[in-house]
Amino acid sequence: MDYINQTGFRQRKLQSNVRMRNPAMDSSEPGQLFDDTSTSAGPQGAGHSGLDKGPVAYTGQTVLSDPMSNLAMAYGSSLASQGKEMMDKNLDRFIPVSKLKYYFAVDTLYVGKKLGLLVFPYMHENWEVCYQQDTPVAPRFDVNAPDLYIPAMAFITYILVAGLALGTQNRFSPEFLGMQASSALVWLIIEVLAVLLSLYLVTVNTDLTTIDLVAFSGYKYVGMIVGVLAGLLFGKTGYYLALLWCCASIFVFMIRTLRLKILSEAAAEGMIVRGAKNQLRMYLTMAIAAAQPVFMYWLTFHLVR
């Protein structure tokens, strides 16, 4: 009996110690391993109060950040527009993009007529450029207007034909073809700069622009292509005959075109050119026209053998 009483007393004492250490176990359900603290308002719930306030803080931060993001986007778009305007102004100062659009305003009919005019200029009578409200009409409406489409395409085609001619002679190499293209471009730049310097020295008041001079100087590549192709098909005899015809054609074309630009208004109307200054202008016009056949031969004679 004493042993049983001592054992029961020890068990009751152990149970009381367990209750003192974990008083929450008496209030929990018998089969529950963890306490439900999702709705607790006691000290345990206070420990997770930061999580309960999380969505409220996030919503307030979003409301505060939206005006800042909108302001940043507006400032960025304004800065981009200002940069674009500044770039357009500086670009137009060195490269007149608006003017370049005029020189490329061509169509198929214009290109066909212009090529025929470059090769057969002898039957053409009216060489004056048409104007509309003091502005020259687009090249596609006037075959006499200068353009950059034909010179640019003729330059590229000339390089390709030169590569073809070198390939048929087993002399093709990328370095040699690059030198050919660079040489043709350098001579074109030298020619344009020489004409600009001559116009400045002669003090000619003309509406010729640098782009006009590039266009007129680039028309000779059409005759160069014809000469090289004739040389590939018919040998040197065909090359010299075709080049001679194209040289005479470009000479006539340049004389009749530039005389309306460089010579005085009296000369443009067909009157006799008088005076020392007008004589210089006439000589300058003839010199520019005569330089075209020289460049045509210089840049093509080594391509035909």
Side-chain angles (χ1 to χ4, degrees):
M1 290 295 292
D2 294 338
Y3 176 76
I4 294 174
N5 293 333
Q6 291 178 359
T7 302
F9 176 76
R10 288 177 180 176
Q11 290 178 353
R12 288 192 298 270
K13 186 177 182 180
L14 180 60
Q15 290 177 359
S16 63
N17 291 335
V18 172
R19 291 191 185 98
M20 291 176 65
R21 291 181 181 177
N22 193 5
M25 294 180 58
D26 296 337
S27 61
S28 63
E29 296 180 0
Q32 186 174 358
L33 297 178
F34 300 96
D35 295 334
D36 187 7
T37 59
S38 61
T39 59
S40 176
Q44 293 181 357
H48 299 278
S49 60
L51 294 177
D52 296 336
K53 296 180 180 180
V56 178
Y58 179 78
T59 304
Q61 185 180 1
T62 305
V63 172
L64 292 176
S65 62
D66 286 341
M68 296 299 294
S69 61
N70 294 334
L71 181 61
M73 291 177 61
Y75 178 75
S77 60
S78 176
L79 189 63
S81 61
Q82 291 178 1
K84 184 177 181 299
E85 291 177 1
M86 184 179 299
M87 184 184 68
D88 293 340
K89 290 180 181 179
N90 294 330
L91 183 64
D92 192 68
R93 182 184 302 176
F94 300 100
I95 303 176
V97 179
S98 58
K99 293 183 179 180
L100 287 178
K101 293 180 181 179
Y102 164 81
Y103 290 93
F104 284 96
V106 301
D107 56 8
T108 306
L109 183 61
Y110 167 82
V111 173
K113 290 182 178 180
K114 194 73 170 187
L115 292 177
L117 183 62
L118 292 172
V119 181
F120 302 99
Y122 309 103
M123 303 302 295
H124 192 65
E125 296 181 356
N126 185 15
W127 294 85
E128 294 183 359
V129 178
C130 298
Y131 284 82
Q132 184 178 4
Q133 296 180 355
D134 298 333
T135 303
V137 299
R140 63 174 176 268
F141 301 118
D142 184 14
V143 71
N144 295 324
D147 70 285
L148 286 179
Y149 177 81
I150 292 178
M153 294 297 103
F155 180 83
I156 297 174
T157 306
Y158 160 71
I159 301 301
L160 297 177
V161 171
L164 177 63
L166 294 174
T168 57
Q169 302 168 13
N170 296 325
R171 295 190 297 140
F172 176 82
S173 66
E175 294 81 8
F176 193 83
L177 189 63
M179 291 179 59
Q180 187 73 22
S182 302
S183 177
L185 185 60
V186 168
W187 279 114
L188 178 64
I189 295 174
I190 292 175
E191 179 185 357
V192 173
L193 292 178
V195 174
L196 290 174
L197 180 61
S198 301
L199 292 175
Y200 174 76
L201 294 178
V202 180
T203 63
V204 176
N205 295 324
T206 177
D207 58 351
L208 272 176
T209 63
T210 305
I211 304 178
D212 292 336
L213 295 177
V214 173
F216 290 132
S217 300
Y219 286 139
K220 62 177 172 285
Y221 293 112
V222 176
M224 294 163 58
I225 295 170
V226 174
V228 175
L229 290 178
L232 292 176
L233 295 176
F234 307 105
K236 278 195 171 184
T237 303
Y239 163 74
Y240 283 114
L241 289 177
L243 188 66
L244 181 62
W245 177 271
C246 292
C247 287
S249 299
I250 197 66
F251 180 81
V252 174
F253 173 83
M254 295 293 286
I255 286 290
R256 294 186 177 181
T257 301
L258 293 179
R259 75 184 185 89
L260 300 177
K261 300 286 187 180
I262 297 178
L263 297 180
S264 61
E265 296 180 357
E269 294 175 358
M271 299 177 62
I272 300 176
V273 179
R274 297 177 180 178
K277 183 176 292 187
N278 287 335
Q279 291 291 336
L280 288 176
R281 293 177 181 180
M282 184 181 64
Y283 294 150
L284 178 59
T285 303
M286 296 184 65
I288 296 173
Q292 306 307 309
V294 176
F295 284 115
M296 291 172 65
Y297 176 76
W298 175 258
L299 295 173
T300 57
F301 77 96
H302 59 282
L303 298 175
V304 179
R305 290 186 176 181

